[in-house]
Amino acid sequence: MGAMPEEIDLLLPQMEHRANQVVGQRTFTSGILANKEVVVVYSRMGKVAASSTATTLINIFDCQMILFTGVAGALSKDLNIGDMIVSSSLVQHDMDVSALPGFRKFEVPLLDKQFFSPPLWLADKALSASEKYLREVMPADIDNSTLKKFGITSPKSMKGLIASGDQFIASKEETLNLLKDLPDILCVEMEGAAVAQVAEEYGVPYIVTRTISDKADHSAHIDFPLFVKEVATNLTCGVLTELLKRL
Ligand code: ADE
């Protein structure tokens, strides 16, 4: 699962026995990828779109696991464009019912949790898949001049906290605000913690992997579309294919 077509497009031609089914305006493509039965879909952007798509994957397609891939804006100073993040936990940074008595900021009401935690074993597999992709596959997958253009020299993989909300973050002020409350955030995106909530509610294992496309600052609105157009698809689909081989 990805949010945008560019984040999953490369997977489709690699699939065998492909069949499309449209449910709720999303096209779900079933088939075989890396010897696994899979359903590939893009949800469109945002928490509602992602939640509805994840629910369909579970209820209609009987998916036993959800792998989400895509791009994200870096909040940690240690991250650069091209680095890969695996979720060890996720938070909905725009969830705030704390004006009501008894609720903490970021807590999902009546679920009694602020953070979602994917299975550790899956996070470890995703981390080693992204390390392998960056070390062994990427050099042949993306040409040097493209990597240079984005300043990608020695990209790394990290596990950590991913924050999701229905905003594209593109200013220092917004990033500092988020870090004030949640100093451990590695990156921001718009779907992961919504998928996490649905998957946890249904007891389905899940993981979110993200490639850094921008630094969630004043240049994010330029870096993001360029990165998505020119390199994201290789990185997001590459790590997912590596992960599938390990499952
Ligand atoms: N996805 C990629 N970059 C992002 C950003 N800066 N904010 C939210 N989602 C993103």
PDB file of all heavy atoms in Angstrom, residues 76-113:
ATOM      1  N   SER A  76      14.075  14.935  12.000  1.00  0.00           N
ATOM      2  CA  SER A  76      15.349  14.775  12.689  1.00  0.00           C
ATOM      3  C   SER A  76      16.470  15.409  11.867  1.00  0.00           C
ATOM      4  O   SER A  76      16.535  15.245  10.649  1.00  0.00           O
ATOM      5  CB  SER A  76      15.636  13.281  12.877  1.00  0.00           C
ATOM      6  OG  SER A  76      16.991  13.084  13.165  1.00  0.00           O
ATOM      7  N   LYS A  77      17.363  16.111  12.593  1.00  0.00           N
ATOM      8  CA  LYS A  77      18.506  16.758  11.914  1.00  0.00           C
ATOM      9  C   LYS A  77      19.477  15.729  11.344  1.00  0.00           C
ATOM     10  O   LYS A  77      20.286  16.032  10.478  1.00  0.00           O
ATOM     11  CB  LYS A  77      19.251  17.659  12.908  1.00  0.00           C
ATOM     12  CG  LYS A  77      18.540  18.989  13.170  1.00  0.00           C
ATOM     13  CD  LYS A  77      19.515  19.978  13.753  1.00  0.00           C
ATOM     14  CE  LYS A  77      19.233  20.549  15.106  1.00  0.00           C
ATOM     15  NZ  LYS A  77      18.333  20.053  16.075  1.00  0.00           N
ATOM     16  N   ASP A  78      19.406  14.483  11.863  1.00  0.00           N
ATOM     17  CA  ASP A  78      20.319  13.432  11.396  1.00  0.00           C
ATOM     18  C   ASP A  78      19.924  12.858  10.042  1.00  0.00           C
ATOM     19  O   ASP A  78      20.625  12.003   9.503  1.00  0.00           O
ATOM     20  CB  ASP A  78      20.331  12.255  12.396  1.00  0.00           C
ATOM     21  CG  ASP A  78      20.860  12.690  13.746  1.00  0.00           C
ATOM     22  OD1 ASP A  78      21.613  13.687  13.776  1.00  0.00           O
ATOM     23  OD2 ASP A  78      20.495  12.048  14.750  1.00  0.00           O
ATOM     24  N   LEU A  79      18.781  13.285   9.503  1.00  0.00           N
ATOM     25  CA  LEU A  79      18.291  12.655   8.268  1.00  0.00           C
ATOM     26  C   LEU A  79      18.505  13.523   7.042  1.00  0.00           C
ATOM     27  O   LEU A  79      18.424  14.751   7.118  1.00  0.00           O
ATOM     28  CB  LEU A  79      16.793  12.360   8.399  1.00  0.00           C
ATOM     29  CG  LEU A  79      16.418  11.257   9.387  1.00  0.00           C
ATOM     30  CD1 LEU A  79      14.911  11.191   9.581  1.00  0.00           C
ATOM     31  CD2 LEU A  79      16.945   9.908   8.911  1.00  0.00           C
ATOM     32  N   ASN A  80      18.771  12.854   5.920  1.00  0.00           N
ATOM     33  CA  ASN A  80      18.948  13.541   4.644  1.00  0.00           C
ATOM     34  C   ASN A  80      18.010  12.938   3.610  1.00  0.00           C
ATOM     35  O   ASN A  80      17.497  11.830   3.796  1.00  0.00           O
ATOM     36  CB  ASN A  80      20.395  13.390   4.168  1.00  0.00           C
ATOM     37  CG  ASN A  80      21.328  14.136   5.081  1.00  0.00           C
ATOM     38  OD1 ASN A  80      21.155  15.339   5.321  1.00  0.00           O
ATOM     39  ND2 ASN A  80      22.292  13.428   5.627  1.00  0.00           N
ATOM     40  N   ILE A  81      17.837  13.672   2.511  1.00  0.00           N
ATOM     41  CA  ILE A  81      17.014  13.160   1.422  1.00  0.00           C
ATOM     42  C   ILE A  81      17.599  11.828   0.937  1.00  0.00           C
ATOM     43  O   ILE A  81      18.813  11.695   0.787  1.00  0.00           O
ATOM     44  CB  ILE A  81      16.913  14.218   0.301  1.00  0.00           C
ATOM     45  CG1 ILE A  81      16.052  15.379   0.828  1.00  0.00           C
ATOM     46  CG2 ILE A  81      16.329  13.632  -0.983  1.00  0.00           C
ATOM     47  CD1 ILE A  81      15.919  16.561  -0.058  1.00  0.00           C
ATOM     48  N   GLY A  82      16.723  10.837   0.781  1.00  0.00           N
ATOM     49  CA  GLY A  82      17.163   9.504   0.347  1.00  0.00           C
ATOM     50  C   GLY A  82      17.301   8.509   1.486  1.00  0.00           C
ATOM     51  O   GLY A  82      17.346   7.310   1.251  1.00  0.00           O
ATOM     52  N   ASP A  83      17.371   8.989   2.736  1.00  0.00           N
ATOM     53  CA  ASP A  83      17.444   8.064   3.882  1.00  0.00           C
ATOM     54  C   ASP A  83      16.108   7.327   4.027  1.00  0.00           C
ATOM     55  O   ASP A  83      15.066   7.819   3.590  1.00  0.00           O
ATOM     56  CB  ASP A  83      17.741   8.819   5.184  1.00  0.00           C
ATOM     57  CG  ASP A  83      19.178   9.325   5.238  1.00  0.00           C
ATOM     58  OD1 ASP A  83      20.008   8.875   4.412  1.00  0.00           O
ATOM     59  OD2 ASP A  83      19.476  10.166   6.105  1.00  0.00           O
ATOM     60  N   MET A  84      16.184   6.159   4.656  1.00  0.00           N
ATOM     61  CA  MET A  84      14.963   5.356   4.813  1.00  0.00           C
ATOM     62  C   MET A  84      14.597   5.170   6.283  1.00  0.00           C
ATOM     63  O   MET A  84      15.477   4.911   7.108  1.00  0.00           O
ATOM     64  CB  MET A  84      15.163   3.985   4.179  1.00  0.00           C
ATOM     65  CG  MET A  84      15.122   4.056   2.685  1.00  0.00           C
ATOM     66  SD  MET A  84      15.081   2.431   1.961  1.00  0.00           S
ATOM     67  CE  MET A  84      14.780   2.879   0.269  1.00  0.00           C
ATOM     68  N   ILE A  85      13.313   5.281   6.568  1.00  0.00           N
ATOM     69  CA  ILE A  85      12.822   5.146   7.938  1.00  0.00           C
ATOM     70  C   ILE A  85      11.859   3.964   8.019  1.00  0.00           C
ATOM     71  O   ILE A  85      10.985   3.818   7.175  1.00  0.00           O
ATOM     72  CB  ILE A  85      12.036   6.415   8.379  1.00  0.00           C
ATOM     73  CG1 ILE A  85      12.875   7.668   8.178  1.00  0.00           C
ATOM     74  CG2 ILE A  85      11.581   6.299   9.827  1.00  0.00           C
ATOM     75  CD1 ILE A  85      14.187   7.664   8.910  1.00  0.00           C
ATOM     76  N   VAL A  86      12.026   3.171   9.056  1.00  0.00           N
ATOM     77  CA  VAL A  86      11.096   2.087   9.360  1.00  0.00           C
ATOM     78  C   VAL A  86      10.396   2.456  10.661  1.00  0.00           C
ATOM     79  O   VAL A  86      11.049   2.887  11.624  1.00  0.00           O
ATOM     80  CB  VAL A  86      11.860   0.754   9.524  1.00  0.00           C
ATOM     81  CG1 VAL A  86      10.937  -0.328  10.048  1.00  0.00           C
ATOM     82  CG2 VAL A  86      12.486   0.333   8.193  1.00  0.00           C
ATOM     83  N   SER A  87       9.078   2.284  10.706  1.00  0.00           N
ATOM     84  CA  SER A  87       8.336   2.684  11.909  1.00  0.00           C
ATOM     85  C   SER A  87       8.577   1.699  13.056  1.00  0.00           C
ATOM     86  O   SER A  87       8.306   0.513  12.922  1.00  0.00           O
ATOM     87  CB  SER A  87       6.832   2.696  11.593  1.00  0.00           C
ATOM     88  OG  SER A  87       6.414   1.406  11.159  1.00  0.00           O
ATOM     89  N   SER A  88       9.112   2.204  14.180  1.00  0.00           N
ATOM     90  CA  SER A  88       9.056   1.375  15.393  1.00  0.00           C
ATOM     91  C   SER A  88       7.836   1.801  16.199  1.00  0.00           C
ATOM     92  O   SER A  88       7.301   1.038  16.994  1.00  0.00           O
ATOM     93  CB  SER A  88      10.334   1.518  16.225  1.00  0.00           C
ATOM     94  OG  SER A  88      10.513   2.855  16.596  1.00  0.00           O
ATOM     95  N   SER A  89       7.368   3.047  15.974  1.00  0.00           N
ATOM     96  CA  SER A  89       6.088   3.489  16.527  1.00  0.00           C
ATOM     97  C   SER A  89       5.540   4.625  15.664  1.00  0.00           C
ATOM     98  O   SER A  89       6.292   5.247  14.893  1.00  0.00           O
ATOM     99  CB  SER A  89       6.240   3.921  17.985  1.00  0.00           C
ATOM    100  OG  SER A  89       7.173   4.947  18.079  1.00  0.00           O
ATOM    101  N   LEU A  90       4.238   4.859  15.817  1.00  0.00           N
ATOM    102  CA  LEU A  90       3.578   5.900  15.012  1.00  0.00           C
ATOM    103  C   LEU A  90       2.603   6.675  15.884  1.00  0.00           C
ATOM    104  O   LEU A  90       2.011   6.122  16.811  1.00  0.00           O
ATOM    105  CB  LEU A  90       2.804   5.275  13.848  1.00  0.00           C
ATOM    106  CG  LEU A  90       3.658   4.481  12.855  1.00  0.00           C
ATOM    107  CD1 LEU A  90       3.344   3.009  12.946  1.00  0.00           C
ATOM    108  CD2 LEU A  90       3.461   4.971  11.438  1.00  0.00           C
ATOM    109  N   VAL A  91       2.447   7.978  15.549  1.00  0.00           N
ATOM    110  CA  VAL A  91       1.525   8.823  16.315  1.00  0.00           C
ATOM    111  C   VAL A  91       0.735   9.703  15.354  1.00  0.00           C
ATOM    112  O   VAL A  91       1.257  10.083  14.294  1.00  0.00           O
ATOM    113  CB  VAL A  91       2.317   9.686  17.345  1.00  0.00           C
ATOM    114  CG1 VAL A  91       3.281  10.646  16.650  1.00  0.00           C
ATOM    115  CG2 VAL A  91       1.392  10.470  18.267  1.00  0.00           C
ATOM    116  N   GLN A  92      -0.527   9.989  15.693  1.00  0.00           N
ATOM    117  CA  GLN A  92      -1.328  10.930  14.895  1.00  0.00           C
ATOM    118  C   GLN A  92      -1.113  12.315  15.502  1.00  0.00           C
ATOM    119  O   GLN A  92      -1.711  12.653  16.525  1.00  0.00           O
ATOM    120  CB  GLN A  92      -2.800  10.504  14.910  1.00  0.00           C
ATOM    121  CG  GLN A  92      -3.008   9.177  14.195  1.00  0.00           C
ATOM    122  CD  GLN A  92      -4.399   8.586  14.333  1.00  0.00           C
ATOM    123  OE1 GLN A  92      -5.362   9.291  14.657  1.00  0.00           O
ATOM    124  NE2 GLN A  92      -4.511   7.298  14.091  1.00  0.00           N
ATOM    125  N   HIS A  93      -0.245  13.112  14.865  1.00  0.00           N
ATOM    126  CA  HIS A  93       0.180  14.363  15.520  1.00  0.00           C
ATOM    127  C   HIS A  93      -0.901  15.427  15.529  1.00  0.00           C
ATOM    128  O   HIS A  93      -0.788  16.422  16.252  1.00  0.00           O
ATOM    129  CB  HIS A  93       1.478  14.895  14.886  1.00  0.00           C
ATOM    130  CG  HIS A  93       1.346  15.403  13.476  1.00  0.00           C
ATOM    131  ND1 HIS A  93       0.695  16.559  13.159  1.00  0.00           N
ATOM    132  CD2 HIS A  93       1.806  14.907  12.303  1.00  0.00           C
ATOM    133  CE1 HIS A  93       0.748  16.749  11.846  1.00  0.00           C
ATOM    134  NE2 HIS A  93       1.417  15.760  11.304  1.00  0.00           N
ATOM    135  N   ASP A  94      -1.970  15.231  14.745  1.00  0.00           N
ATOM    136  CA  ASP A  94      -3.058  16.216  14.754  1.00  0.00           C
ATOM    137  C   ASP A  94      -4.263  15.746  15.581  1.00  0.00           C
ATOM    138  O   ASP A  94      -5.341  16.324  15.513  1.00  0.00           O
ATOM    139  CB  ASP A  94      -3.489  16.586  13.326  1.00  0.00           C
ATOM    140  CG  ASP A  94      -3.843  15.371  12.472  1.00  0.00           C
ATOM    141  OD1 ASP A  94      -3.732  14.228  12.972  1.00  0.00           O
ATOM    142  OD2 ASP A  94      -4.228  15.561  11.306  1.00  0.00           O
ATOM    143  N   MET A  95      -4.070  14.665  16.339  1.00  0.00           N
ATOM    144  CA  MET A  95      -5.146  14.190  17.231  1.00  0.00           C
ATOM    145  C   MET A  95      -4.995  14.894  18.579  1.00  0.00           C
ATOM    146  O   MET A  95      -3.962  14.765  19.237  1.00  0.00           O
ATOM    147  CB  MET A  95      -5.030  12.666  17.396  1.00  0.00           C
ATOM    148  CG  MET A  95      -6.023  12.069  18.368  1.00  0.00           C
ATOM    149  SD  MET A  95      -7.727  12.346  17.896  1.00  0.00           S
ATOM    150  CE  MET A  95      -7.960  11.066  16.667  1.00  0.00           C
ATOM    151  N   ASP A  96      -5.993  15.645  18.980  1.00  0.00           N
ATOM    152  CA  ASP A  96      -5.901  16.348  20.266  1.00  0.00           C
ATOM    153  C   ASP A  96      -7.284  16.556  20.871  1.00  0.00           C
ATOM    154  O   ASP A  96      -8.035  17.430  20.460  1.00  0.00           O
ATOM    155  CB  ASP A  96      -5.198  17.706  20.071  1.00  0.00           C
ATOM    156  CG  ASP A  96      -4.927  18.373  21.414  1.00  0.00           C
ATOM    157  OD1 ASP A  96      -5.258  17.783  22.470  1.00  0.00           O
ATOM    158  OD2 ASP A  96      -4.367  19.490  21.409  1.00  0.00           O
ATOM    159  N   VAL A  97      -7.595  15.736  21.851  1.00  0.00           N
ATOM    160  CA  VAL A  97      -8.875  15.845  22.559  1.00  0.00           C
ATOM    161  C   VAL A  97      -8.598  16.252  24.003  1.00  0.00           C
ATOM    162  O   VAL A  97      -9.422  16.065  24.889  1.00  0.00           O
ATOM    163  CB  VAL A  97      -9.642  14.490  22.481  1.00  0.00           C
ATOM    164  CG1 VAL A  97     -11.094  14.640  22.914  1.00  0.00           C
ATOM    165  CG2 VAL A  97      -9.621  13.939  21.072  1.00  0.00           C
ATOM    166  N   SER A  98      -7.393  16.818  24.222  1.00  0.00           N
ATOM    167  CA  SER A  98      -6.969  17.085  25.601  1.00  0.00           C
ATOM    168  C   SER A  98      -7.785  18.190  26.281  1.00  0.00           C
ATOM    169  O   SER A  98      -7.679  18.382  27.490  1.00  0.00           O
ATOM    170  CB  SER A  98      -5.476  17.405  25.651  1.00  0.00           C
ATOM    171  OG  SER A  98      -5.214  18.575  24.902  1.00  0.00           O
ATOM    172  N   ALA A  99      -8.597  18.919  25.509  1.00  0.00           N
ATOM    173  CA  ALA A  99      -9.480  19.910  26.136  1.00  0.00           C
ATOM    174  C   ALA A  99     -10.541  19.209  26.986  1.00  0.00           C
ATOM    175  O   ALA A  99     -11.135  19.818  27.882  1.00  0.00           O
ATOM    176  CB  ALA A  99     -10.134  20.776  25.064  1.00  0.00           C
ATOM    177  N   LEU A 100     -10.792  17.938  26.674  1.00  0.00           N
ATOM    178  CA  LEU A 100     -11.750  17.168  27.478  1.00  0.00           C
ATOM    179  C   LEU A 100     -11.038  16.520  28.655  1.00  0.00           C
ATOM    180  O   LEU A 100      -9.887  16.097  28.512  1.00  0.00           O
ATOM    181  CB  LEU A 100     -12.391  16.064  26.618  1.00  0.00           C
ATOM    182  CG  LEU A 100     -13.266  16.523  25.457  1.00  0.00           C
ATOM    183  CD1 LEU A 100     -13.754  15.323  24.653  1.00  0.00           C
ATOM    184  CD2 LEU A 100     -14.460  17.320  25.973  1.00  0.00           C
ATOM    185  N   PRO A 101     -11.714  16.447  29.806  1.00  0.00           N
ATOM    186  CA  PRO A 101     -11.050  15.872  30.984  1.00  0.00           C
ATOM    187  C   PRO A 101     -10.662  14.418  30.752  1.00  0.00           C
ATOM    188  O   PRO A 101     -11.420  13.652  30.153  1.00  0.00           O
ATOM    189  CB  PRO A 101     -12.108  16.000  32.091  1.00  0.00           C
ATOM    190  CG  PRO A 101     -13.392  16.342  31.416  1.00  0.00           C
ATOM    191  CD  PRO A 101     -13.079  16.911  30.074  1.00  0.00           C
ATOM    192  N   GLY A 102      -9.461  14.063  31.191  1.00  0.00           N
ATOM    193  CA  GLY A 102      -9.030  12.664  31.159  1.00  0.00           C
ATOM    194  C   GLY A 102      -8.312  12.244  29.889  1.00  0.00           C
ATOM    195  O   GLY A 102      -7.873  11.103  29.774  1.00  0.00           O
ATOM    196  N   PHE A 103      -8.179  13.137  28.897  1.00  0.00           N
ATOM    197  CA  PHE A 103      -7.495  12.752  27.655  1.00  0.00           C
ATOM    198  C   PHE A 103      -6.141  13.443  27.536  1.00  0.00           C
ATOM    199  O   PHE A 103      -6.021  14.630  27.826  1.00  0.00           O
ATOM    200  CB  PHE A 103      -8.346  13.121  26.433  1.00  0.00           C
ATOM    201  CG  PHE A 103      -9.596  12.293  26.307  1.00  0.00           C
ATOM    202  CD1 PHE A 103     -10.835  12.834  26.632  1.00  0.00           C
ATOM    203  CD2 PHE A 103      -9.537  10.977  25.864  1.00  0.00           C
ATOM    204  CE1 PHE A 103     -11.994  12.074  26.516  1.00  0.00           C
ATOM    205  CE2 PHE A 103     -10.693  10.211  25.743  1.00  0.00           C
ATOM    206  CZ  PHE A 103     -11.923  10.757  26.073  1.00  0.00           C
ATOM    207  N   ARG A 104      -5.147  12.692  27.100  1.00  0.00           N
ATOM    208  CA  ARG A 104      -3.823  13.274  26.832  1.00  0.00           C
ATOM    209  C   ARG A 104      -3.763  13.719  25.376  1.00  0.00           C
ATOM    210  O   ARG A 104      -4.456  13.155  24.528  1.00  0.00           O
ATOM    211  CB  ARG A 104      -2.720  12.224  27.070  1.00  0.00           C
ATOM    212  CG  ARG A 104      -2.638  11.705  28.486  1.00  0.00           C
ATOM    213  CD  ARG A 104      -1.908  10.383  28.534  1.00  0.00           C
ATOM    214  NE  ARG A 104      -2.662   9.327  27.845  1.00  0.00           N
ATOM    215  CZ  ARG A 104      -2.184   8.125  27.555  1.00  0.00           C
ATOM    216  NH1 ARG A 104      -0.942   7.817  27.871  1.00  0.00           N
ATOM    217  NH2 ARG A 104      -2.923   7.223  26.941  1.00  0.00           N
ATOM    218  N   LYS A 105      -2.908  14.719  25.115  1.00  0.00           N
ATOM    219  CA  LYS A 105      -2.680  15.131  23.729  1.00  0.00           C
ATOM    220  C   LYS A 105      -2.203  13.912  22.934  1.00  0.00           C
ATOM    221  O   LYS A 105      -1.415  13.113  23.457  1.00  0.00           O
ATOM    222  CB  LYS A 105      -1.632  16.242  23.708  1.00  0.00           C
ATOM    223  CG  LYS A 105      -1.657  17.070  22.444  1.00  0.00           C
ATOM    224  CD  LYS A 105      -0.796  18.315  22.574  1.00  0.00           C
ATOM    225  CE  LYS A 105      -0.852  19.110  21.278  1.00  0.00           C
ATOM    226  NZ  LYS A 105       0.028  20.268  21.300  1.00  0.00           N
ATOM    227  N   PHE A 106      -2.661  13.768  21.723  1.00  0.00           N
ATOM    228  CA  PHE A 106      -2.312  12.674  20.788  1.00  0.00           C
ATOM    229  C   PHE A 106      -3.004  11.339  21.100  1.00  0.00           C
ATOM    230  O   PHE A 106      -2.867  10.397  20.341  1.00  0.00           O
ATOM    231  CB  PHE A 106      -0.792  12.437  20.691  1.00  0.00           C
ATOM    232  CG  PHE A 106       0.002  13.683  20.495  1.00  0.00           C
ATOM    233  CD1 PHE A 106       0.944  14.081  21.422  1.00  0.00           C
ATOM    234  CD2 PHE A 106      -0.223  14.491  19.383  1.00  0.00           C
ATOM    235  CE1 PHE A 106       1.670  15.261  21.247  1.00  0.00           C
ATOM    236  CE2 PHE A 106       0.497  15.672  19.202  1.00  0.00           C
ATOM    237  CZ  PHE A 106       1.442  16.060  20.137  1.00  0.00           C
ATOM    238  N   GLU A 107      -3.694  11.298  22.243  1.00  0.00           N
ATOM    239  CA  GLU A 107      -4.383  10.039  22.570  1.00  0.00           C
ATOM    240  C   GLU A 107      -5.581   9.844  21.634  1.00  0.00           C
ATOM    241  O   GLU A 107      -6.347  10.777  21.402  1.00  0.00           O
ATOM    242  CB  GLU A 107      -4.866  10.102  24.019  1.00  0.00           C
ATOM    243  CG  GLU A 107      -5.608   8.863  24.471  1.00  0.00           C
ATOM    244  CD  GLU A 107      -6.037   8.977  25.939  1.00  0.00           C
ATOM    245  OE1 GLU A 107      -5.389   9.695  26.725  1.00  0.00           O
ATOM    246  OE2 GLU A 107      -7.055   8.357  26.272  1.00  0.00           O
ATOM    247  N   VAL A 108      -5.723   8.630  21.098  1.00  0.00           N
ATOM    248  CA  VAL A 108      -6.890   8.335  20.259  1.00  0.00           C
ATOM    249  C   VAL A 108      -8.039   8.006  21.208  1.00  0.00           C
ATOM    250  O   VAL A 108      -7.970   7.028  21.961  1.00  0.00           O
ATOM    251  CB  VAL A 108      -6.610   7.164  19.293  1.00  0.00           C
ATOM    252  CG1 VAL A 108      -7.844   6.869  18.443  1.00  0.00           C
ATOM    253  CG2 VAL A 108      -5.416   7.501  18.398  1.00  0.00           C
ATOM    254  N   PRO A 109      -9.089   8.842  21.201  1.00  0.00           N
ATOM    255  CA  PRO A 109     -10.151   8.686  22.188  1.00  0.00           C
ATOM    256  C   PRO A 109     -10.730   7.270  22.211  1.00  0.00           C
ATOM    257  O   PRO A 109     -10.974   6.670  21.160  1.00  0.00           O
ATOM    258  CB  PRO A 109     -11.218   9.692  21.734  1.00  0.00           C
ATOM    259  CG  PRO A 109     -10.476  10.685  20.924  1.00  0.00           C
ATOM    260  CD  PRO A 109      -9.342   9.957  20.274  1.00  0.00           C
ATOM    261  N   LEU A 110     -10.918   6.774  23.412  1.00  0.00           N
ATOM    262  CA  LEU A 110     -11.522   5.466  23.704  1.00  0.00           C
ATOM    263  C   LEU A 110     -10.659   4.284  23.250  1.00  0.00           C
ATOM    264  O   LEU A 110     -11.062   3.136  23.347  1.00  0.00           O
ATOM    265  CB  LEU A 110     -12.939   5.352  23.125  1.00  0.00           C
ATOM    266  CG  LEU A 110     -13.889   6.514  23.467  1.00  0.00           C
ATOM    267  CD1 LEU A 110     -15.305   6.214  23.001  1.00  0.00           C
ATOM    268  CD2 LEU A 110     -13.870   6.830  24.958  1.00  0.00           C
ATOM    269  N   LEU A 111      -9.474   4.572  22.762  1.00  0.00           N
ATOM    270  CA  LEU A 111      -8.542   3.488  22.437  1.00  0.00           C
ATOM    271  C   LEU A 111      -7.430   3.504  23.487  1.00  0.00           C
ATOM    272  O   LEU A 111      -6.642   2.576  23.600  1.00  0.00           O
ATOM    273  CB  LEU A 111      -7.963   3.707  21.030  1.00  0.00           C
ATOM    274  CG  LEU A 111      -7.467   2.493  20.274  1.00  0.00           C
ATOM    275  CD1 LEU A 111      -8.581   1.490  20.059  1.00  0.00           C
ATOM    276  CD2 LEU A 111      -6.882   2.912  18.929  1.00  0.00           C
ATOM    277  N   ASP A 112      -7.364   4.629  24.200  1.00  0.00           N
ATOM    278  CA  ASP A 112      -6.451   4.771  25.322  1.00  0.00           C
ATOM    279  C   ASP A 112      -4.985   4.652  24.916  1.00  0.00           C
ATOM    280  O   ASP A 112      -4.179   4.129  25.672  1.00  0.00           O
ATOM    281  CB  ASP A 112      -6.801   3.710  26.389  1.00  0.00           C
ATOM    282  CG  ASP A 112      -6.212   4.076  27.742  1.00  0.00           C
ATOM    283  OD1 ASP A 112      -5.978   5.282  27.966  1.00  0.00           O
ATOM    284  OD2 ASP A 112      -5.972   3.162  28.561  1.00  0.00           O
ATOM    285  N   LYS A 113      -4.650   5.063  23.701  1.00  0.00           N
ATOM    286  CA  LYS A 113      -3.226   5.060  23.355  1.00  0.00           C
ATOM    287  C   LYS A 113      -2.853   6.244  22.476  1.00  0.00           C
ATOM    288  O   LYS A 113      -3.652   6.726  21.680  1.00  0.00           O
ATOM    289  CB  LYS A 113      -2.801   3.740  22.713  1.00  0.00           C
ATOM    290  CG  LYS A 113      -3.502   3.348  21.437  1.00  0.00           C
ATOM    291  CD  LYS A 113      -2.739   2.252  20.725  1.00  0.00           C
ATOM    292  CE  LYS A 113      -2.932   0.909  21.374  1.00  0.00           C
ATOM    293  NZ  LYS A 113      -2.149  -0.144  20.765  1.00  0.00           N
TER     294      LYS A 113
END
